[in-house]
Amino acid sequence: MSHNHTATGSNRSRLLAAFLVTALYMVAEVIGGWLSGSLALLADAGHMLTDAAALLVALLAVQFASRRPDQRRTFGLLRLTTLAAFVNAIALLVITVLIVWEAIQRFAQPQPVAGAMMLVVAIGGLLANLLSFWLLHRGSGEKNLNVRAAALHVLGDLLGSVGAIAAAIIILLTGWTPIDPILSILVSLLVLRSAWVLIKESTHELLEGAPTHIDVEKLQRNLVRTVPEVRNVHHVHLWQVGEKPIITLHVQVIPPQDHDALLRHIHEFLHQHYQIEHATVQMEYQRCEGDDCDMHWITGDHSGHQHHHH
């Protein structure tokens, strides 16, 4: 147990350090972009905002995961992280639209860009990203999904800073300012990609979608095959809170000698094969009667033909 707490603690302090580095430099990039007139810097700052938000969501997840559920919130506050990711993604879309809109206008009326200042700020951004990436990767011992996601974000952000540096060098050497809006659009596409992934994943989770890595039909078939007493599986509901999959299901079983041992067997199956720690299993001896049974009707012999719904 003590090992677990230190892992969580070090995750938290690493995330916090990376968040502070990213957030502070994001503000610097906004100011630098505004003063130098560089849109690529502002786009990169938008990208850094995605990082800062991803790091903040990861921090909240670590924080909320350690809080006990209470009477009113029996799942604790883990869903807040999904909600935060969703809000973050919407904000990113708005930022991207604004930057692309501004870039299009700049093609029509090119603006002067202070190349030297832009270069200094962009190099600083690159260093800030490298620092937070190093902070996050030093602790890749624990395969924490949030920390990993945050590290990937920061890595994507390195590309944004490299783009801004390239634009600054081109402006300094040739004075060709349209490279700035061109690169700002490219960086915005990076932002758009992470925003789209975030929106897809967080919406799926908020709509109680089944975790994408678990095939529900296959789970039903495997359960029937693996546990001899189980005749079929129906009324399956599988969803996800934070990173924890949760399942409720009905199983029709041959009346067992030892009811509790069979129940334990089913729980162990779910835990071993699907990492589901929280399962609610209703055991029944009779065939399921009713309109909605056949939707979930999966037995050993004609398993392939029926469809289930979530």
Side-chain angles (χ1 to χ4, degrees):
M1 227 21 238
S2 62
H3 163 74
N4 221 354
H5 274 279
T6 51
T8 304
S10 73
N11 265 344
R12 186 180 296 150
S13 48
R14 270 203 312 278
L15 281 167
L16 184 60
F19 169 70
L20 291 173
V21 170
T22 311
L24 289 170
Y25 210 85
M26 176 190 80
V27 175
E29 274 202 320
V30 170
I31 296 167
W34 188 62
L35 290 175
S36 65
S38 163
L39 202 53
L41 277 184
L42 287 176
D44 194 38
H47 205 163
M48 280 198 132
L49 177 64
T50 71
D51 289 356
L55 288 162
L56 190 58
V57 167
L59 259 176
L60 290 176
V62 172
Q63 195 57 41
F64 291 141
S66 59
R67 291 203 24 193
R68 307 297 316 146
D70 59 28
Q71 302 267 293
R72 290 195 52 226
R73 287 177 289 262
T74 55
F75 285 119
L77 291 169
L78 286 172
R79 261 294 158 82
L80 263 179
T81 56
T82 315
L83 197 56
F86 180 73
V87 173
N88 171 20
I90 300 291
L92 293 182
L93 289 180
V94 173
I95 289 170
T96 310
V97 169
L98 291 174
I99 285 175
V100 171
W101 176 247
E102 177 63 27
I104 291 167
Q105 290 183 314
R106 287 211 180 178
F107 286 125
Q109 305 149 326
Q111 303 283 328
V113 178
M117 181 180 201
M118 179 181 171
L119 183 62
V120 171
V121 177
I123 289 174
L126 185 65
L127 294 176
N129 278 323
L130 284 170
L131 176 59
S132 44
F133 187 69
W134 176 77
L135 281 166
L136 292 170
H137 251 252
R138 231 178 31 177
S140 54
E142 304 83 41
K143 286 281 165 270
N144 183 311
L145 188 68
N146 283 306
V147 178
R148 244 198 350 250
L152 279 176
H153 260 277
V154 175
L155 199 59
D157 203 26
L158 288 172
L159 297 171
S161 296
V162 170
I165 291 173
I169 291 173
I170 290 172
I171 288 171
L172 278 174
L173 293 179
T174 66
W176 189 60
T177 50
I179 187 66
D180 181 55
I182 289 172
L183 273 166
S184 72
I185 287 181
L186 288 177
V187 175
S188 297
L189 290 177
L190 287 174
V191 179
L192 203 58
R193 215 192 84 220
S194 25
W196 180 245
V197 171
L198 264 180
I199 280 190
K200 236 171 48 179
E201 289 179 356
S202 56
T203 309
H204 183 74
E205 207 172 306
L206 290 171
L207 292 177
E208 307 290 7
T212 40
H213 61 281
I214 299 180
D215 176 339
V216 179
E217 271 191 358
K218 215 160 146 191
L219 182 148
Q220 290 171 290
R221 283 201 295 275
N222 286 347
L223 184 53
V224 172
R225 274 197 208 115
T226 315
V227 184
E229 295 89 343
V230 173
R231 302 291 291 283
N232 65 36
V233 182
H234 49 278
H235 287 317
V236 178
H237 293 282
L238 174 67
W239 69 105
Q240 191 172 348
V241 176
E243 288 172 25
K244 295 184 165 70
I246 294 168
I247 194 167
T248 64
L249 65 156
H250 291 201
V251 287
Q252 185 207 343
V253 296
I254 300 161
Q257 296 288 308
D258 182 347
H259 180 278
D260 289 357
L262 175 57
L263 194 54
R264 206 163 45 243
H265 192 170
I266 293 172
H267 277 286
E268 277 164 7
F269 165 85
L270 292 170
H271 189 220
Q272 275 171 3
H273 295 271
Y274 297 97
Q275 285 71 55
I276 299 174
E277 287 171 25
H278 190 104
T280 306
V281 180
Q282 178 171 321
M283 299 208 317
E284 299 163 350
Y285 299 152
Q286 255 58 52
R287 255 180 98 89
C288 171
E289 302 293 346
D291 301 337
D292 50 355
C293 291
D294 28 337
M295 296 189 184
H296 300 271
W297 199 250
I298 291 221
T299 52
D301 47 12
H302 57 197
S303 55
H305 312 304
Q306 259 73 27
H307 293 290
H308 68 88
H309 72 195
H310 296 301

